[in-house]
Every structure is written in structure tokens, then in C-alpha cells.
Amino acid sequence: EALATIPGVYNSSTGIGVSKPVIRGMQGIRVVSLLNGLRIENQQWGGDHGMGITELGIGTVEVIKGPSSLLYGADALGGVIYYEDEPFALQNEMQVGVKSQFESNTLGTSNQLTFKISKKNFRLNLAGSYTNYADFQLPNGAFLNNSRFNENGFKASFGTNHKNWGLSVRYNYSTSVVGIPGETEDSIPTPESYQTTMQERNLLLPSQQFHNHFLSIQNSWYLAKQTISLMVGETVNRLQEFEDSEDTAALNMLLSNTLYHLKSVTKFDGRFNFVYGLQGMVQDNTNDPTAEEKLIPSSVTFDNGIYGLMYFKHSKWNTQAGIRGDIRVIKSRENFNGFEGVKKQFPSLNFSIGTVRSGKETTARINVSTGFRAPHLSELMANGAHDGALRYEIGDINLKAEKASQLDLTYEIHKDHLEFIVNPFGNYVRDYIMLTPIDSTIDGLPVYKYKQMNQVWLFGSDIAIHFHPHFAHWLHLESNYSFIQAESQSEKLALMPQNRINSTIRFDFKMKSWIKLTEIVVQHSYLFEQNRVASFETSSAAYQLINVGTNWKLGKKSPVTLGFGVKNLLNSSYIDHLSRLKNIQVSQPGRNFYISLKYSFNKTI
């Protein structure tokens, strides 16, 4: 939800808590997620589960829009979401933090506990979380049956250093159980077929279970004019789907991914920096042979890439240019839908060049970048029901790799009380792979088919303004407009987000009392109708949402922070164009009150 307030960034969701980011109309495999530089692989092609990353221990999130293959390799065609953990505690300090939130719509609770300690050459962070949500309530007062989920998380980070060497070891584990809404016994289903008058949170079939392990080890050597870093990592994701029994998984997949990244940063005379490196991974995806269902075959994927970048600074200008070569090899290890021993190779060469001119009150940027994305086995060989995504998907074994070229321009005006940003872009994609609906149903699910389009243009602009009037330092007025449109020679693209205006009024207060109101925030989102749809895709009506929140602090030393608010204040009934519930014509959640508590205790040791 927080990411979706950024211009050009949306989310594709199944209600509350289960969503994935969409950047400038691209989602799923086209958006790469990294956690502290570790690439996250958790079956991103599946539209029926979240990202596999909780907010536990996350300090910052960076969104990179557009093709980013130069630094991050294959698949980063739409962009990158880069998560970074909270920093370690200051030297000789211990911190304990507690955070809890309750939401009325789902009777959901989310709880976190963190511990940090730092000595001279020893740093340790520990964190744990527990989240439990019941079925969410619709604007009409009913509940979406089996939209419940629960999640547990654990995170540990360790750091040490000696002279010019530093070591960081990070481990993150999460497990979740997610209900799959959209099941009904009605022969002619209606939206009411999926609703219930009782709100439940206990496990109900069908459901999916996920287990994620993320481990990274980074060594860094700091020399006089050079920094060398080596990161090795392992991610493991187990996806299980239970349909008729809680004991036997109908779908059982294990995805392990071993990664490495060797990078060198060389500084010359203060104006030139040169960065080069090697990067790669080995993915192994295995189906349980005893499971009844298989969505993709057991397979192995090899990625290897080499890159070099130059940074040059002169006066008010900063320029970056680089080139990268990659090769991806995909091998299937079993007979699947009539195909056996499939092997595909996808080589690619990409480049990026950009420059920034920074003035006293203005900043101008221009960037040209390319990227590529090899087709996934789910696109090449799919032929089955994706119950969580509420559709039946059919692949095409002859798909080629996508290749993108983007021009990105930015002009910013920065004044004492006003900031204005305009960011037009154009993204030209060759051999675009599109998942499009066809006029057919199988097992009661609409059929979607992967097909290739020769060329596609995605273009638009992000515009943002922030006004902070001189006469009212406590007032902030912010608004941004996201415009995205797609064109092709043959037909319109499916699943393109609605154009959107986000506006925020924030009141900041400075009080000296024991109980202090620190801010009031009013957010308004207006999403325009989406009637530029593909064949057999339905249009979506315009809608608006209003959220209101307040933050308070209690106490003076190590204060408690309290938050109160309401999401969807007007209890609007709406179906977002990217909602996975659109296929069954079920609305997104209704009005949702929340209360949150945060407490942090610091001590010098």
C-alpha cells in the first residue's frame, strides 16, 4: 500500500495483505525484488500470492522505474524494488522495539519485536513478527469467503569488521498460510456465491502455504582507491497448495536459488569512478512427484552476466554509462504437457547512459536504457488452472525473449516552499509477451493465453507537486498524477493500470505536552476509468478513496507512538482494474479502522 502512493507504481492485489507491485504497467516477473542486494526468487510468476517479503526489519525501499538490466540482470524490464534492512544500532548501544497494529475490517493483528545491540566490532539485529487476518469485509457488509491469511517471520543480521575488511551475514525466514477465495458450489455463480455472513479465520481449503528462507553473506574490502565486495546467497521457497486435504498437498514445489555477485568500485581523481563486476545465479525448481498437480516442469536455470559502468562528474553535471552482457539457459527435467527435455538459451547485450544537471533550484535528467527478459517456463509450457489467480493459463513453447528500450526524462524545480517534478517516459518493447483473455472457460475459470506481440509502446508521465507555504510551516499539500498508456500495431494490452491522481494534505504539529498530536494526514486517490482493454477483457469504472490518519506521542523519553486512522473512509464499493477478484466481480475491502502502537527503548552499554 505504501509503494502504491509513488507515482507510476500500483499494486495487484487480492484484498488486504496479498499484493504485488506494478511499475508503469509491468508486473510479476518483469519486476525484480532485491533484499540487501539478494535477488528474491519465490515463484513471482504466480499471481495468487504476495511478494514473500514482510515489512519486518525493513529500513528503506527504493523503486527504480524502467529497464534495469545493467545492474540487476535479466527480467528487470519494468523496474526494481530494492529493500534494505534497518541499520545496526550505534556503537555501544542496545535497542528494543515493539510494534503492533489492529485493523477492524479483518479483525487482523500484526505484531513485531526487534532487538539490536552493537559493540566495537560486533553488531547484531534480531526481529520476529506474527500476523493473523480473518476474512475481509466488503462494502455491503458481507465477507469474502476464505480471504484469510496468517504469517510468521524471523530475521537475524550479524556484522563485524577488522581494519579494512567488513562482513555482514543476514538471514530472513517467513511462513504464511493464504486462503484462496473464489471457490463455490453454485452451478451458475454470481458475486454473492463467494460471500458469507460469517467472518472466520481458521484454515479453510483450498489454501496455499509458503516457506521462504533468504541467506546472504557479504564480504567487503576497503582499499585506498578501490572497494571490492563479494556477495553469495541462497534463497529457498516452498509453495504448497492444499485442496481436498490438510495433510496432502495437491501442488508441492521447491525452488532453490544460489547467487553470487563480485563487484569492484575504483575511484580515480574524484571525478571518475569505474564499477565492474560478475553476477549470476543457479535456480533449481522441483515438483514433488507424488503431488497431483504441476503448473510448471521441474527445471534448472543458469544466469551469468558481466558488466562495467563509468561515473563522471564535472561541475554541475553527473554522467553514467555502462554496458552488460548476459546469457540465460533454461532446462526442463521432465515430460510436461507433451514436451520433454526442453532447453532454451537467451543471450543479451544491454547498455545504459544518462546524465544529470543539478542547479540551485532546478534538476534535469535524461536517461536511455535497455533491458531484456527471457520467457519463463510458466509462459512457455503452462496448461492448467491457477486457482489463486482465478484463471486458466495456456503457454506457448515458441516464445522469444523480450527486449526493451526506454527514454526517461525528468525536470525538477526546487524552491523553499515549492517542489515540482515532471517525468515523461517512453518504453519500446520488442517481442512483448502478453497474457490475454480469450473467449473461453475451462473448469469454470476464464482462459488466458500467452502470446507474443512484435512491438509495444508503453508511454506516459509522472507529475508531482509539493507545496509548503511560508505562512503555514505546519501545512503540506502534495499531489501526483500517474499516466500510462500502451499501444501496439494489432491490439490493446491487457491488465494496464488505471490513470490515477494521489493527493495528500498533511498537518504537522509541535507540542510540548506529555500527550502530543504530531500529525494529521488526509489522502485522496482518484482512479480514472479504464476502457482501453484487450479483446474479451472488461473495462473498469472510475473510483475514489479517502484515507485519514493521525499520529500521537506519549511521554518525553523513549515516547510511545500511537496511530489512529481509517482507510476507505466513505466505504466505497470498487473493483480495481488490476484486482485478481475482478474475474469474479467482487469488490475490494470496505471501510477499515486501524490503531497502531510503536515503542522503542535505547540504552548505552
Side-chain angles (χ1 to χ4, degrees):
E1 291 179 1
L3 291 176
T5 63
I6 299 173
V9 181
Y10 296 76
N11 70 64
S12 174
S13 71
T14 313
I16 296 177
V18 182
S19 62
K20 287 186 176 179
V22 180
I23 302 178
R24 290 178 172 173
M26 295 191 178
Q27 59 180 297
I29 306 173
R30 295 187 179 97
V31 176
V32 170
S33 298
L34 296 106
L35 178 62
N36 305 306
L38 182 73
R39 176 167 169 153
I40 302 305
E41 289 294 330
N42 63 342
Q43 314 290 6
Q44 287 95 323
W45 52 270
D48 45 10
H49 57 84
M51 301 175 63
I53 301 175
T54 72
E55 66 178 66
L56 177 66
I58 297 295
T60 61
V61 182
E62 182 180 3
V63 177
I64 304 169
K65 305 173 187 176
S68 306
S69 292
L70 187 66
L71 285 175
Y72 304 107
D75 302 333
L77 209 65
V80 170
I81 309 289
Y82 194 101
Y83 302 87
E84 192 166 345
D85 281 347
E86 293 177 347
F88 293 105
L90 298 177
Q91 188 170 320
N92 297 321
E93 188 174 277
M94 181 182 70
Q95 297 179 5
V96 177
V98 177
K99 182 180 179 181
S100 183
Q101 179 162 314
F102 171 80
E103 299 190 14
S104 66
N105 184 283
T106 59
L107 300 181
T109 61
S110 177
N111 307 279
Q112 298 181 12
L113 176 65
T114 60
F115 172 80
K116 300 181 181 181
I117 188 169
S118 180
K119 299 292 287 185
K120 183 178 180 180
N121 293 319
F122 173 85
R123 295 171 293 278
L124 178 68
N125 287 2
L126 299 173
S129 66
Y130 172 73
T131 300
N132 192 302
Y133 279 45
D135 296 331
F136 71 75
Q137 189 171 32
L138 299 164
N140 64 6
F143 304 92
L144 178 61
N145 194 32
N146 205 19
S147 58
R148 64 205 69 173
F149 71 93
N150 64 70
E151 187 171 61
N152 298 301
F154 171 76
K155 177 174 288 187
S157 303
F158 167 76
T160 187
N161 63 281
H162 180 70
K163 294 184 178 179
N164 65 339
W165 168 75
L167 170 69
S168 294
V169 180
R170 302 179 186 273
Y171 172 71
N172 188 26
Y173 170 73
S174 66
T175 178
S176 57
V177 179
V178 181
I180 301 178
E183 291 287 319
T184 179
E185 296 181 358
D186 293 354
S187 57
I188 304 178
T190 65
E192 288 71 28
S193 302
Y194 312 103
Q195 302 174 25
T196 177
T197 57
M198 298 293 293
Q199 187 176 38
E200 301 286 348
R201 68 173 69 242
N202 294 329
L203 177 65
L204 178 68
L205 301 179
S207 66
Q208 290 185 332
Q209 294 187 16
F210 305 93
H211 302 274
N212 292 294
H213 300 266
F214 307 136
L215 173 66
S216 65
I217 303 172
Q218 178 149 345
N219 287 273
S220 299
W221 294 268
Y222 304 96
L223 309 178
K225 291 187 177 182
Q226 186 179 27
T227 299
I228 301 173
S229 63
L230 173 63
M231 189 276 290
V232 293
E234 182 78 17
T235 71
V236 178
N237 167 267
R238 181 174 290 279
L239 184 159
Q240 296 174 299
E241 186 170 307
F242 297 86
E243 297 180 354
D244 301 318
S245 170
E246 298 179 15
D247 301 319
T248 304
L251 176 70
N252 193 347
M253 304 170 62
L254 180 66
L255 173 63
S256 63
N257 189 26
T258 304
L259 308 97
Y260 73 91
H261 188 183
L262 177 63
K263 182 172 72 172
S264 172
V265 180
T266 303
K267 299 180 180 179
F268 291 97
D269 59 357
R271 293 186 302 166
F272 282 96
N273 287 348
F274 187 60
V275 181
Y276 56 92
L278 301 170
Q279 192 175 28
M281 62 182 183
V282 180
Q283 290 186 47
D284 187 280
N285 193 84
T286 304
N287 288 302
D288 184 342
T290 65
E292 298 177 4
E293 298 181 9
K294 295 179 182 179
L295 296 179
I296 59 175
S298 297
S299 60
V300 61
T301 301
F302 300 93
D303 267 19
N304 283 288
I306 182 171
Y307 65 90
L309 297 92
M310 181 198 71
Y311 296 86
F312 173 69
K313 182 177 181 180
H314 176 70
S315 185
K316 297 180 180 181
W317 293 88
N318 281 280
T319 301
Q320 169 191 305
I323 190 168
R324 176 178 178 127
D326 283 277
I327 185 168
R328 168 168 288 185
V329 179
I330 304 175
K331 297 180 180 179
S332 66
R333 301 198 307 266
E334 62 180 332
N335 186 299
F336 191 82
N337 290 336
F339 298 99
E340 186 171 7
V342 173
K343 180 179 179 180
K344 297 274 187 176
Q345 291 189 13
F346 302 97
S348 181
L349 185 67
N350 293 283
F351 75 91
S352 176
I353 182 169
T355 187
V356 180
R357 187 187 187 280
S358 301
K360 184 178 179 180
E361 293 186 340
T362 61
T363 301
R365 297 182 177 89
I366 180 171
N367 189 73
V368 177
S369 59
T370 67
F372 90 107
R373 185 185 74 86
H376 191 266
L377 282 173
S378 63
E379 299 167 320
L380 293 167
M381 304 173 70
N383 190 355
H386 291 244
D387 294 321
L390 302 173
R391 58 182 177 242
Y392 190 102
E393 297 183 4
I394 299 175
D396 183 350
I397 195 65
N398 297 311
L399 295 175
K400 297 179 289 187
E402 297 177 329
K403 296 166 283 291
S405 302
Q406 176 171 281
L407 173 65
D408 194 281
L409 306 172
T410 305
Y411 185 74
E412 303 177 7
I413 298 175
H414 307 278
K415 294 184 177 293
D416 290 341
H417 306 287
L418 176 69
E419 184 177 61
F420 176 76
I421 301 173
V422 58
N423 177 204
F425 66 91
N427 195 356
Y428 172 66
V429 186
R430 290 167 290 159
D431 299 321
Y432 184 86
I433 300 172
M434 184 170 73
L435 179 63
T436 182
I438 62 177
D439 191 15
S440 180
T441 61
I442 297 178
D443 296 333
L445 295 174
V447 178
Y448 282 67
K449 188 173 183 179
Y450 289 98
K451 66 178 183 179
Q452 201 126 38
M453 307 179 73
N454 291 333
Q455 53 186 3
V456 166
W457 278 97
L458 293 100
F459 59 91
S461 184
D462 301 327
I463 302 172
I465 187 170
H466 177 193
F467 179 52
H468 180 201
H470 175 72
F471 61 86
H473 284 284
W474 43 268
L475 177 63
H476 295 263
L477 304 174
E478 301 176 42
S479 185
N480 62 69
Y481 173 56
S482 300
F483 170 75
I484 174 72
Q485 190 162 316
E487 296 285 350
S488 70
Q489 291 180 328
S490 55
E491 61 181 287
K492 296 181 176 65
L493 271 64
L495 301 176
M496 286 292 108
Q498 297 161 267
N499 297 327
R500 180 188 68 199
I501 296 178
N502 277 337
S503 301
T504 301
I505 302 176
R506 189 172 80 248
F507 304 90
D508 292 333
F509 302 97
K510 294 182 179 180
M511 299 182 178
K512 297 182 179 180
S513 58
W514 191 83
I515 302 176
K516 298 176 283 291
L517 172 63
T518 59
E519 70 174 1
I520 299 174
V521 179
V522 180
Q523 297 176 324
H524 176 264
S525 296
Y526 182 85
L527 284 89
F528 295 83
E529 65 178 357
Q530 178 58 283
N531 51 25
R532 296 178 57 84
V533 294
S535 302
F536 309 112
E537 182 186 23
T538 57
S539 59
S540 295
Y543 69 88
Q544 61 181 331
L545 296 173
I546 297 177
N547 303 325
V548 179
T550 64
N551 284 317
W552 301 71
K553 286 192 175 181
L554 311 180
K556 295 184 177 181
K557 294 184 178 180
S558 300
V560 175
T561 301
L562 287 177
F564 303 93
V566 56
K567 304 173 186 178
N568 192 2
L569 175 67
L570 303 180
N571 199 33
S572 300
S573 180
Y574 67 99
I575 300 178
D576 188 88
H577 194 68
L578 300 181
S579 171
R580 303 188 197 114
L581 303 175
K582 189 170 185 286
N583 287 338
I584 57 175
Q585 288 299 295
V586 171
S587 171
Q588 294 288 91
R591 186 182 294 114
N592 185 14
F593 293 94
Y594 69 87
I595 178 172
S596 64
L597 178 148
K598 185 178 181 180
Y599 174 74
S600 180
F601 171 77
N602 298 357
K603 180 181 179 181
T604 301
I605 55 175

